[in-house]
Amino acid sequence: MNPQAKLISATSLFLGTSITISSNHWMMAWIGLEINTLAVLPLISKSHHPRAIEASTKYFLTQAAASTLLLFSSMTNAWFSGQWDITQLTHPMSCMLLTTAISIKLGLVPFHFWFPEVLQGSTMTTCLLLATVMKFPPITLFFLTSPSLNPTLLSLMAIASAALGGWMGLNQTQTRKVLAFSSIAHLGWMTIILIYNPNLTLTAFYLYTMTTSAIFFILNTTNTLKLSTMMTAWTKIPPLTTVFMLTLLSLAGLPPLTGFLPKWLIIQELTKQGLTIMATTITLLSLLGLFFYLRLAYCATITLPPNFINYTKQWQINKPTNILTTTLTTLSILLLPLSPMVFTVS
Amino acid sequence: MDFPLILNISMFLTLLILSSPILLPLLSKNYQNSPTTIMRTVKTSFMASLIPMILSIYSNMENTTFYWEWKFITNFKIPFSLKMDQYSLMFFPIALFVTWSILQFAVWYMASEPYTTKFSLFLLIFLIAMLILIIANNMFLLFIGWEGVGIMSFLLIGWWHGRAEANTAALQAVLYNRIGDIGLILCMAWLASSMNTWEIQQHSSTNQTPLLPLMGLILAATGKSAQFGLHPWLPAAMEGPTPVSALLHSSTMVVAGIFLLIRTHHMLCNNQIALTTCLCMGALSTLFAATCALTQNDIKKIIAFSTSSQLGLMMVTIGLNLPQLAFLHISTHAFFKAMLFLCSGSIIHSLNGEQDLRKMGGLQKLLPTTTSCLTIGNLALMGTPFLAGFYSKDLIIENLNMSYLNTWALLLTLIATSFTATYSLRMALLVQTNYTRIPSITPINENNPAITNPITRLALGSIMAGLLITSYIPPTKTPPMTMPLATKTTAIIITTLGIILALELSKLTHTLTTPKQNVALNFSNTLGYFNPLMHRLSSTKLLNNGQNIASHLIDLSWYKKMGPEGLATLQLKASKISTTLHTGLIKTYLGSFALSILTIILFTQN
């Protein structure tokens, strides 16, 4: 891609995110979201592959619809309450529409259909952007409007996301789609605790971002787009696959890895609020995710041909790992003992 | 004359003499048992047991109880309570007399066996257990005696334990008796919980006893006395040696069930349902057994079925509310049934082990004493006037005719009586008359006094016992005195009809007609198809059910369908359904978004 075009796109991406995060007025939020949408479109379609073009089209359509809904809800609220403040969203219809708009933006069930296909159509680094950076502004808007949202609707969508993310992820062989559904499931976890403790939503989001970024970087380094490719990924950089397995288990939420922290805190908060059935349900549904994470880990690490290990590694490395991968993987495996720090920072 | 004292002492003397072959060898090494010494012990014991019987009759005594508590530990006192009334005091001499004769016979019969001493000892232990049962005043001792006779029956039927059929028969006896024991234990538990006692005299007889313990007692009697339903063990028990069949399965053990009902009669007498059950079941048993006996070819089996039939008759008498008459029939039946068995034993040994009727014949000239006693026994069984069987059987049939009870039971009993005559005559004719069908060289010999003395002694008893007992023991319930002539002579007429029928049928043997398949004959010969149906069907059903439950229910349904594999299948199904929903068509997606938004808005508008 043209370097200048890439520069403009990247800069616009950061600009849009910053505008939305720091906004007080609904107009500014909407502007930021629209800039984000438009900026990321060339990034998705940069390879000019038909699949990529299709992905970018789908992305545009859904995000545009979502932004419209967001604008509509803020206008309705302005009509009825006379102010455009994000935290003062009071009209019930507006809250509802906002919830749906943000759900479309995030990819919560039943508005998730676009997400796997968009991820499948883009390159690994763009996937990373879509899965982490593009989620940040909508999560922020959720955080800001959390007191006025409908708990039933959010809980329903959350549990459905966890369920569908689990069930769909079971049937995938493309790694990007697997990560898409894992993202949907984790969004379910983030959404379920939004009403009761929004800080936990942010904590969960940050830790999820960290772990997913690590995964995406590893997949980018070894260039594994399918499960079958993953079976020979260990030949490229053997230690990386070991770390990959641990990072996957952290994503699954296994103690004593980092990914356990958000799940643990969310379950605790839900139980404190008396929603034990919901806590049990969402925990059981995340077992489905554990299964396909284990399958990925199995394909990456446990399958070995009966050859001598020293003679089967590739003698040249195409894409060496960068420092970011290392940092992120280390953090995503070993951060649990520092959990009080995580809690106070977020 | 202090009658109670002498009575008690002589009773203890009897029991002590009887248990001396068991106790004395423990004391000194010099004392060794042998079959002859055991026989003499029983003979002495018989003499001693005559004293209490005569004393009780002479002094018009109703009942003497002896009670001793074994204070095991403070709160656990084991009660030994003996009841000496007309039943137990009358039964002692009869049982001892019969056992004496059988033991004398067994000295000859089991002479070629190893372990004859053990055999005689087993019979002795059996006798002691039976007498404990008879003399018991509480259910505890009765149960001890009950189980004792059951165990000894098992050991004795399986005496030739190398033979598979003997083992099966012994096991069958134990199993069927066990089913009856459930009833007895049920009754004991009910007594312990409701009346707080196992003493028979403390059971209230005026109130209506509920049906549950009575049904338990009737079940116990059904098991022990081989009534219909729990009857197959009695013909199978013929696998044991003939002395065993003579003692256990004709005179003593099988009457234990009836004796239980006699002892607990005060509980039964007010409950009409229990009495009717006894009546109908007894009638059914007697007819069924008599029907089966008609076509049997084994001499011992015929006598076994005849025992079964007479037991049914005793049950009918209990159902008629006449325990004393049932006891009279027990007493007279002991004599001629034991004698019939001993005669058959003599015949079997003389013919070198031949038990099939079709291979006997013309033995009247070859074994005169045995066959004469066989004829006497058969006549007594049929109820020939003024022999032993007549006094009890005729009275029973008169009472049956003059009572207000079940016509069906009456009919069945009468038919069974005529069948009794038929099969008895068939057996007598086939054994004694016509040209002989035995092999050429047979060790026919009855010159041994060990054979003839017991048989003639029992023949004497078969003739005189009925007269003696009825002369000295007055009836407690008035028998019917006046009745029409036809009713009075019913038993005789029916018996005569049976004899005529048998004689007519025996003419068929002269004509050499080829035998045809006959449904009735098949039914009778295979014992009513009861054995294969019950023995195979119930066990296969039970085992199949068990296998189904274990493998299908637990393995298949819990583990495969509902447990781990079921869960996996469910998730797989959900996964497949959701994958097909993700079609990839953006229009569908946007449409679903719109629909979802609409639904959400509609549902949250309140």
Side-chain angles (χ1 to χ4, degrees):
Chain A
M1 196 175 169
N2 193 356
Q4 284 96 343
K6 211 168 193 177
L7 179 67
I8 294 177
S9 298
T11 326
S12 310
L13 202 57
F14 288 122
L15 179 70
T17 314
S18 318
I19 290 176
T20 313
I21 292 169
S22 55
S23 63
N24 271 329
H25 196 285
W26 272 116
M27 271 300 166
M28 295 310 288
W30 176 76
I31 287 169
L33 288 171
E34 288 294 294
I35 293 175
N36 262 351
T37 313
L38 293 172
V40 92
L41 280 181
L43 289 175
I44 298 176
S45 58
K46 68 179 176 218
S47 64
H48 303 292
H49 189 268
R51 205 183 193 115
I53 308 288
E54 183 188 331
S56 63
T57 319
K58 283 184 185 165
Y59 185 72
F60 175 68
L61 286 172
T62 48
Q63 298 290 305
S67 300
T68 317
L69 271 174
L70 188 128
L71 196 62
F72 185 60
S73 85
S74 56
M75 282 201 293
T76 318
N77 189 47
W79 183 267
F80 279 107
S81 63
Q83 44 79 30
W84 293 85
D85 204 331
I86 291 183
T87 52
Q88 304 298 320
L89 197 72
T90 48
H91 189 70
M93 166 74 109
S94 295
C95 301
M96 204 64 53
L97 282 177
L98 180 77
T99 317
T100 52
I102 307 276
S103 320
I104 299 176
K105 282 237 175 261
L106 284 176
L108 282 171
V109 170
F111 306 113
H112 69 284
F113 290 104
W114 59 274
F115 195 47
E117 278 130 38
V118 170
L119 277 200
Q120 183 65 23
S122 35
T123 55
M124 204 58 90
T125 36
T126 320
C127 277
L128 174 62
L129 277 174
L130 282 168
T132 54
V133 175
M134 303 303 291
K135 303 257 181 269
F136 198 30
I139 294 261
T140 316
L141 289 174
F142 255 166
F143 180 78
L144 289 169
T145 58
S146 59
S148 22
L149 299 175
N150 188 352
T152 322
L153 179 63
L154 282 175
S155 313
L156 273 173
M157 285 202 294
I159 293 182
S161 306
L164 203 88
W167 283 329
M168 284 303 295
L170 286 175
N171 209 6
Q172 304 300 328
T173 53
Q174 299 285 329
T175 46
R176 285 169 290 179
K177 275 203 173 170
V178 167
L179 289 173
F181 287 112
S182 105
S183 167
I184 294 174
H186 277 95
L187 278 169
W189 275 91
M190 292 174 217
T191 320
I192 203 164
I193 200 65
L194 186 66
I195 304 282
Y196 311 107
N197 193 350
N199 286 323
L200 279 180
T201 309
L202 285 183
T203 315
F205 176 67
Y206 296 149
L207 290 170
Y208 165 71
T209 310
M210 190 177 67
T211 321
T212 308
S213 315
I215 301 260
F216 272 116
F217 276 127
I218 295 173
L219 289 178
N220 197 22
T221 314
T222 54
N223 204 21
T224 48
L225 303 166
K226 309 195 280 260
L227 274 183
S228 49
T229 322
M230 195 171 292
M231 299 217 187
T232 54
W234 63 272
T235 57
K236 298 185 181 139
I237 306 170
L240 196 63
T241 40
T242 321
V243 152
F244 178 56
M245 177 195 85
L246 290 169
T247 318
L248 272 176
L249 292 179
S250 171
L251 198 61
L254 243 51
L257 308 168
T258 314
F260 177 57
L261 179 64
K263 292 203 161 65
W264 168 27
L265 292 171
I266 290 174
I267 293 173
Q268 188 177 0
E269 188 60 41
L270 284 174
T271 321
K272 274 196 233 166
Q273 299 283 337
L275 301 163
T276 42
I277 300 177
M278 210 147 54
T280 320
T281 319
I282 203 167
T283 318
L284 286 173
L285 289 169
S286 66
L287 281 175
L288 296 161
L290 176 64
F291 183 77
F292 61 75
Y293 293 135
L294 280 174
R295 186 197 287 154
L296 283 174
Y298 179 84
C299 294
T301 49
I302 305 181
T303 54
L304 280 178
N307 298 332
F308 290 121
I309 194 98
N310 357 3
Y311 298 117
T312 52
K313 180 187 170 309
Q314 288 179 354
W315 67 275
Q316 58 169 1
I317 303 171
N318 257 342
K319 267 191 231 175
T321 50
N322 52 359
I323 189 72
L324 200 54
T325 321
T326 328
T327 324
L328 287 170
T329 49
T330 319
L331 282 174
S332 60
I333 294 170
L334 297 171
L335 207 55
L336 194 64
L338 294 174
S339 25
M341 182 204 81
V342 172
F343 208 43
T344 50
V345 159
S346 69
Chain B
M1 276 286 259
D2 193 358
F3 286 136
L5 179 65
I6 300 182
L7 198 139
N8 276 316
I9 291 179
S10 40
M11 188 49 101
F12 279 115
L13 189 67
T14 314
L15 290 171
L16 194 64
I17 296 173
L18 207 54
S19 44
S20 64
I22 303 173
L23 296 173
L24 280 176
L26 298 171
L27 295 173
S28 99
K29 227 7 155 221
N30 295 330
Y31 189 85
Q32 294 293 329
N33 284 329
S34 84
T36 328
T37 60
I38 295 176
M39 178 199 78
R40 292 216 191 98
T41 315
V42 175
K43 175 175 169 184
T44 322
S45 191
F46 162 68
M47 302 295 180
S49 73
L50 285 173
I51 302 172
M53 180 181 82
I54 294 173
L55 277 178
S56 78
I57 295 173
Y58 181 70
S59 64
N60 287 328
M61 183 194 77
E62 168 89 18
N63 183 2
T64 296
T65 327
F66 166 81
Y67 185 76
W68 178 61
E69 232 167 25
W70 177 18
K71 295 181 179 55
F72 195 52
I73 48 177
T74 320
N75 278 339
F76 184 43
K77 299 186 192 58
I78 301 175
F80 285 101
S81 178
L82 307 179
K83 179 175 186 156
M84 286 160 278
D85 64 342
Q86 51 160 330
Y87 296 136
S88 57
L89 289 175
M90 178 69 63
F91 195 82
F92 258 67
I94 294 172
L96 287 164
F97 183 75
V98 169
T99 313
W100 166 32
S101 309
I102 290 172
L103 277 169
Q104 194 177 9
F105 183 79
V107 170
W108 169 77
Y109 194 82
M110 308 292 279
S112 58
E113 282 272 325
Y115 313 122
T116 46
T117 318
K118 189 156 86 161
F119 184 77
S120 304
L121 268 176
F122 275 1
L123 285 178
L124 186 71
I125 296 172
F126 165 81
L127 183 67
I128 294 174
M130 185 71 201
L131 293 178
I132 291 176
L133 194 156
I134 297 293
I135 209 174
N137 193 24
N138 54 6
M139 299 295 270
F140 179 67
L141 270 184
L142 193 134
F143 189 63
I144 292 176
W146 187 274
E147 293 295 305
V149 298
I151 292 291
M152 294 322 293
S153 162
F154 169 74
L155 289 173
L156 283 167
I157 295 174
W159 176 255
W160 290 312
H161 52 78
R163 191 175 147 79
E165 285 95 339
N167 287 331
T168 326
L171 213 55
Q172 218 176 336
V174 167
L175 286 172
Y176 276 112
N177 275 340
R178 250 306 170 244
I179 300 175
D181 289 351
I182 297 173
L184 186 63
I185 296 176
L186 177 69
C187 177
M188 283 167 72
W190 183 87
L191 283 171
S193 60
S194 302
M195 293 192 190
N196 199 24
T197 177
W198 275 340
E199 302 288 322
I200 293 185
Q201 67 243 33
Q202 290 182 27
H203 303 159
S204 62
S205 64
T206 50
N207 307 347
Q208 293 273 0
T209 333
L211 200 54
L212 185 66
L214 300 178
M215 282 300 147
L217 285 175
I218 294 174
L219 180 65
T222 313
K224 197 62 117 184
S225 297
Q227 302 299 308
F228 182 74
L230 297 177
H231 66 278
W233 69 272
L234 192 53
M238 296 300 120
E239 290 288 332
T242 310
V244 170
S245 309
L247 186 55
L248 273 72
H249 307 118
S250 60
S251 326
T252 39
M253 183 180 119
V254 292
V255 299
I258 306 289
F259 196 80
L260 174 72
L261 290 180
I262 293 175
R263 270 277 189 257
T264 54
H265 184 259
H266 51 274
M267 287 203 287
L268 279 170
C269 60
N270 286 327
N271 196 322
Q272 201 52 42
I273 301 176
L275 289 176
T276 317
T277 315
C278 287
L279 190 70
C280 295
M281 188 164 62
L284 186 62
S285 312
T286 183
L287 182 63
F288 180 75
T291 316
C292 292
L294 287 175
T295 54
Q296 296 300 312
N297 292 319
D298 186 351
I299 192 173
K300 280 178 77 173
K301 283 256 169 33
I302 294 184
I303 307 178
F305 279 114
S306 135
T307 310
S308 200
S309 181
Q310 296 303 308
L311 289 170
L313 191 65
M314 291 176 208
M315 188 64 112
V316 165
T317 323
I318 299 274
L320 286 173
N321 227 344
L322 301 165
Q324 203 184 21
L325 200 52
F327 183 75
L328 177 65
H329 196 56
I330 290 178
S331 315
T332 53
H333 172 259
F335 286 106
F336 52 77
K337 200 43 66 71
M339 182 174 70
L340 281 174
F341 267 115
L342 292 189
C343 292
S344 70
S346 163
I347 295 171
I348 290 167
H349 250 35
S350 297
L351 296 178
N352 200 18
E354 186 54 64
Q355 287 185 312
D356 199 329
L357 279 179
R358 300 170 286 194
K359 292 209 188 139
M360 301 177 199
L363 288 179
Q364 195 173 35
K365 303 288 191 277
L366 300 167
L367 291 169
T369 320
T370 310
T371 46
S372 326
C373 295
L374 191 74
T375 317
I376 294 174
N378 276 328
L379 286 174
L381 176 61
M382 284 191 262
T384 314
F386 308 113
L387 290 184
F390 169 76
Y391 287 95
S392 47
K393 213 167 172 188
D394 199 65
L395 269 177
I396 292 173
I397 294 187
E398 273 177 26
N399 276 300
L400 195 57
N401 272 324
M402 297 304 288
S403 66
Y404 289 115
L405 294 170
N406 223 313
T407 318
W408 180 75
L410 169 66
L411 219 64
L412 257 54
T413 318
L414 292 177
I415 296 173
T417 316
S418 74
F419 280 177
T420 310
T422 314
Y423 64 69
S424 303
L425 193 67
R426 173 174 177 257
M427 178 175 81
L429 286 177
L430 277 174
V431 166
Q432 302 176 19
T433 63
N434 218 342
Y435 296 109
T436 180
R437 298 179 291 277
I438 62 178
S440 331
I441 303 178
T442 45
I444 293 187
N445 189 1
E446 60 166 18
N447 293 324
N448 198 338
I451 311 171
T452 46
N453 281 352
I455 294 183
T456 43
R457 217 180 299 134
L458 285 173
L460 209 64
S462 307
I463 298 171
M464 294 193 326
L467 180 63
L468 284 175
I469 298 175
T470 47
S471 311
Y472 287 109
I473 310 290
T476 46
K477 295 197 176 141
T478 36
M481 293 297 187
T482 57
M483 58 189 88
L485 183 65
T487 317
K488 185 79 183 170
T489 54
T490 307
I492 299 286
I493 291 174
I494 292 194
T495 311
T496 322
L497 277 174
I499 293 177
I500 293 173
L501 191 69
L503 287 172
E504 275 298 318
L505 285 171
S506 74
K507 286 217 186 111
L508 279 174
T509 60
H510 301 167
T511 58
L512 286 178
T513 49
T514 50
K516 285 186 292 201
Q517 283 286 348
N518 187 354
V519 178
L521 185 125
N522 284 344
F523 180 83
S524 170
N525 206 12
T526 57
L527 318 179
Y529 313 118
F530 187 90
N531 287 18
L533 271 178
M534 278 294 126
H535 292 172
R536 297 308 301 162
L537 202 69
S538 53
S539 46
T540 45
K541 279 262 173 298
L542 201 69
L543 292 172
N544 269 335
N545 259 343
Q547 185 182 42
N548 274 341
I549 291 175
S551 63
H552 289 183
L553 190 62
I554 296 177
D555 287 346
L556 196 64
S557 68
W558 276 119
Y559 295 156
K560 282 188 88 74
K561 294 288 152 96
M562 287 190 239
E565 286 194 36
L567 196 67
T569 328
L570 214 65
Q571 302 312 310
L572 212 62
K573 209 174 196 177
S575 180
K576 285 180 192 167
I577 292 175
S578 5
T579 323
T580 46
L581 283 177
H582 288 61
T583 50
L585 306 169
I586 189 70
K587 242 199 211 171
T588 319
Y589 291 170
L590 291 172
S592 80
F593 289 175
L595 200 65
S596 311
I597 294 173
L598 212 63
T599 320
I600 289 170
I601 292 175
L602 283 174
F603 270 114
T604 51
Q605 289 304 321
N606 48 350

